[in-house]
């Protein structure tokens, strides 16, 4: 069966001004993938994610999402794609002055005409989906780091997105919380069919959740590998990828 391409990067160059982090990148993300953007420090992982989510413009090339060229499409088409995307930032990025339910209701207030009662009900449903049933009236300061990540994920899922982007989801979490978040990502991917794009350098997460990936290299400023991370470990295309996936023990 032919897989449906949901994201395509074409001749993409990423950087800031005259500084190029990555040049001429080409890759595809298929619908239903848990797609990992991996590589060492300074290779441009988070910058690539910012390009995909529209936070920064690419230096060159195009990003096509669900058939829409995000750099050249009409504003209403781009906005429609954005509304069907969710983002979980490293810190969770919750508003501290709002309860968890109020945080989740924000995108609903902006993009829907639902009543307050309906938005509150949906917020509670999203919290239950991520294992935070009954926590709607809690403030971010009253919950743990792992729970903040889950609440941030509930907000990212508020509009039932086709794609959810994760920026270093395990950052700041203990191993158990990180493992639990990985399990939650897998469950959302399998139960909802959501396409997941994850920036991470955590090997445990890469092997646990990823079925597709790209490896960014800071030295060559290129993509050195594509494919399932477990397959890349079995048949590494080069020494750099092998050393990364074995924590340097492959030297």
């Amino acid at each position: 069966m032919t897989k449906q391409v949901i994201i395509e990067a074409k001749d993409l160059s990423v950087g800031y001004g005259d500084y190029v982090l990555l040049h001429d990148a080409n890759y595809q993300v298929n619908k239903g993938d848990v797609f990992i953007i991996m590589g060492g420090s300074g290779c441009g992982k988070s910058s690539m994610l910012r390009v995909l989510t529209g936070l920064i413009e690419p230096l060159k090339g195009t990003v096509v999402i669900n058939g829409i060229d995000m750099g050249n499409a009409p504003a209403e088409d781009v906005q429609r794609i954005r509304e069907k995307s969710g983002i979980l930032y490293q810190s969770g990025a919750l508003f501290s002055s709002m309860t968890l339910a109020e945080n989740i209701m924000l995108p609903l207030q902006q993009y829907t005409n639902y009543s307050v009662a309906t938005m509150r009900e949906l917020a509670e449903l999203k919290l239950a989906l991520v294992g935070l049933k009954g926590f709607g009236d809690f403030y971010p300061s009253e919950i743990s780091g792992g729970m903040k990540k889950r609440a941030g994920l509930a907000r990212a899922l508020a509009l039932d997105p086709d794609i959810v982007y994760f920026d270093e989801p395990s950052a700041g979490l203990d191993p158990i919380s990180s493992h639990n978040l990985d399990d939650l990502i897998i469950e959302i991917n399998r139960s909802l069919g959501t396409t997941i794009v994850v920036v991470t350098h955590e090997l445990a997460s890469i092997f646990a959740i990823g079925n597709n990936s790209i490896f960014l290299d800071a030295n060559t400023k290129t993509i050195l590998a594509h494919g399932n991370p477990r397959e890349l470990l079995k048949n590494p295309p080069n020494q750099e990828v092998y050393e990364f996936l074995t924590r340097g023990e492959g030297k």
Side-chain angles (χ1 to χ4, degrees):
M1 183 189 300
T2 302
K3 294 183 178 180
Q4 179 184 344
V5 176
I6 195 168
I7 301 172
E8 185 172 13
K10 298 180 177 180
D11 299 322
L12 205 62
S13 292
V14 176
Y16 302 90
D18 294 330
Y19 183 68
V20 178
L21 286 163
L22 188 75
H23 64 80
D24 300 311
N26 291 276
Y27 61 89
Q28 296 178 338
V29 181
N30 297 315
K31 183 175 177 61
D33 275 352
V34 178
F35 186 85
I36 308 294
I37 302 174
M38 60 182 176
S41 298
C43 67
K45 299 188 299 295
S46 291
S47 296
M48 175 63 77
L49 194 71
R50 293 185 186 106
V51 168
L52 295 180
T53 56
L55 295 177
I56 63 173
E57 295 289 330
L59 298 179
K60 183 175 74 73
T62 58
V63 174
V64 179
I65 300 178
N66 272 332
I68 301 298
D69 182 340
M70 301 300 285
N72 297 297
E76 57 268 24
D77 289 345
V78 173
Q79 183 59 39
R80 178 168 51 84
I81 294 295
R82 299 294 180 223
E83 289 176 20
K84 296 301 290 181
S85 303
I87 307 174
L88 177 61
Y89 299 97
Q90 283 191 32
S91 63
L94 299 171
F95 290 94
S96 60
S97 61
M98 296 180 176
T99 65
L100 301 189
E102 289 169 342
N103 268 278
I104 296 165
M105 289 166 65
L106 276 176
L108 296 169
Q109 291 169 345
Q110 185 171 2
Y111 295 115
T112 75
N113 295 314
Y114 297 149
S115 68
V116 173
T118 298
M119 288 189 289
R120 174 70 193 219
E121 182 179 356
L122 287 171
E124 294 291 352
L125 284 172
K126 300 305 181 185
L127 284 169
L129 180 65
V130 301
L132 291 176
K133 183 179 180 179
F135 282 84
D137 291 325
F138 281 64
Y139 286 88
S141 61
E142 298 174 317
I143 59 177
S144 68
M147 294 169 76
K148 288 177 184 176
K149 291 285 181 79
R150 287 172 173 261
L153 178 54
R155 185 177 62 188
L157 294 170
L159 295 170
D160 297 321
D162 296 325
I163 308 167
V164 177
Y165 301 93
F166 292 76
D167 187 11
E168 298 284 3
S170 299
L173 297 183
D174 62 82
I176 294 176
S177 296
S178 179
H179 175 77
N180 290 340
L181 184 58
D182 286 344
D183 287 346
L184 182 57
I185 290 171
I186 294 170
E187 177 61 27
I188 288 169
N189 171 254
R190 290 177 178 172
S191 63
L192 302 181
T194 308
T195 302
I196 308 288
V197 178
V198 184
V199 165
T200 186
H201 62 271
E202 295 290 340
L203 290 184
S205 292
I206 288 170
F207 293 127
I209 67 176
N211 74 307
N212 197 2
S213 71
I214 52 174
F215 179 88
L216 311 186
D217 179 58
N219 293 322
T220 61
K221 299 183 179 180
T222 62
I223 296 175
L224 286 188
H226 304 74
N228 187 305
R230 290 176 291 279
E231 292 301 319
L232 292 177
L233 178 60
K234 291 179 182 177
N235 301 290
N238 50 62
Q239 189 67 17
E240 288 82 2
V241 172
Y242 184 53
E243 289 178 6
F244 178 85
L245 293 176
T246 59
R247 297 190 186 278
E249 294 176 5
K251 289 184 178 181

